[in-house]
Amino acid sequence: MKLSDRNWKEFYLSELNFQIINSKAYHKTNLTETHKGLAYITRTNFNNGYDCSVKNTNNLKINPSNTIVFGAENATFFYQPFQYITGNKMYYISHPKFNKFNCLFLVTVLNKSIQKCGFGFGQGLTATRLKNRAIYLPITPDFQPDYTYMENYMKYLEQKKLLEYLEYIEKSERV
């Protein structure tokens, strides 16, 4: 499976019917940390944005699972497989066709699309700025984003890595 075997097209995010939502901000000092709980995602470039787990209370506005989250000032995209809440200046992207695999594909495309664009402290990546960005995606014969291909490609990469890991373990056990 090669990316070069596919046809690609440039899309502005505004064309893709992605919902880009400003997430409700929570400050860590107002939350109760717990061992098991709701993920608290913040503006960091590490750990998939994960800061800690917090107690889930009835008054929290929880973001949905299978979304892509990014911070305005760090401008790094992460896939969130579970429900979560966020810190300050955070956004999330949702779409009915999102799943683990096509989100992982899109995260890579989105992160690549903003490299060396100057987003960061002083010029945050807001929903408006993101909607005006263009990305290249593989397309179907009718020139629409091929979410099925994105999903299958990421499944292929995952399986390939798993096989490499299993071979490594097998070789390690022989030593």
Side-chain angles (χ1 to χ4, degrees):
M1 205 171 212
K2 294 182 181 177
L3 294 174
S4 59
D5 292 342
R6 299 297 298 183
N7 290 321
W8 293 70
K9 179 182 169 193
E10 180 182 64
F11 293 93
Y12 285 91
L13 269 77
S14 58
E15 298 175 77
L16 296 172
N17 297 318
F18 288 175
Q19 287 188 337
I20 304 172
I21 298 153
N22 190 348
S23 181
K24 178 165 175 39
Y26 292 97
H27 297 279
K28 192 173 181 178
T29 55
N30 299 330
L31 301 169
T32 304
E33 280 191 58
T34 182
H35 224 53
K36 279 186 162 180
L38 191 61
Y40 178 58
I41 307 300
T42 61
R43 294 172 292 163
T44 178
N45 293 329
F46 306 103
N47 299 325
N48 208 42
Y50 177 82
D51 183 292
C52 65
S53 292
V54 297
K55 187 175 181 181
N56 186 355
T57 62
N58 291 336
N59 61 341
L60 296 176
K61 186 171 188 295
I62 300 172
N63 298 326
S65 59
N66 284 323
T67 57
I68 297 170
V69 65
F70 66 98
E73 292 174 344
N74 72 327
T76 301
F77 296 88
F78 295 110
Y79 166 65
Q80 297 302 324
F82 307 109
Q83 293 180 332
Y84 59 97
I85 61 171
T86 63
N88 198 27
K89 297 183 184 176
M90 299 288 294
Y91 296 84
Y92 70 88
I93 308 168
S94 68
H95 188 277
K97 293 187 179 182
F98 277 4
N99 63 43
K100 171 187 172 182
F101 296 102
N102 59 35
C103 276
L104 290 172
F105 189 99
L106 288 164
V107 162
T108 303
V109 169
L110 289 164
N111 280 324
K112 193 75 171 162
S113 77
I114 61 163
Q115 280 183 341
K116 301 177 185 173
C117 287
F119 292 116
F121 294 99
Q123 180 169 334
L125 181 59
T126 62
T128 302
R129 289 178 178 149
L130 183 60
K131 285 179 184 178
N132 293 324
R133 301 279 318 154
I135 59 174
Y136 283 90
L137 295 174
I139 55 172
T140 62
D142 61 344
F143 303 101
Q144 296 303 307
D146 194 341
Y147 293 102
T148 302
Y149 176 79
M150 292 180 228
E151 178 179 345
N152 290 335
Y153 183 78
M154 295 310 286
K155 285 179 179 178
Y156 162 77
L157 287 183
E158 182 180 73
Q159 186 65 31
K160 184 178 169 185
K161 287 292 178 192
L162 178 61
L163 290 174
E164 288 172 9
Y165 178 67
L166 291 173
E167 285 177 23
Y168 169 77
I169 291 173
E170 189 177 299
K171 286 178 185 175
S172 298
E173 290 176 346
R174 283 188 245 156
V175 175

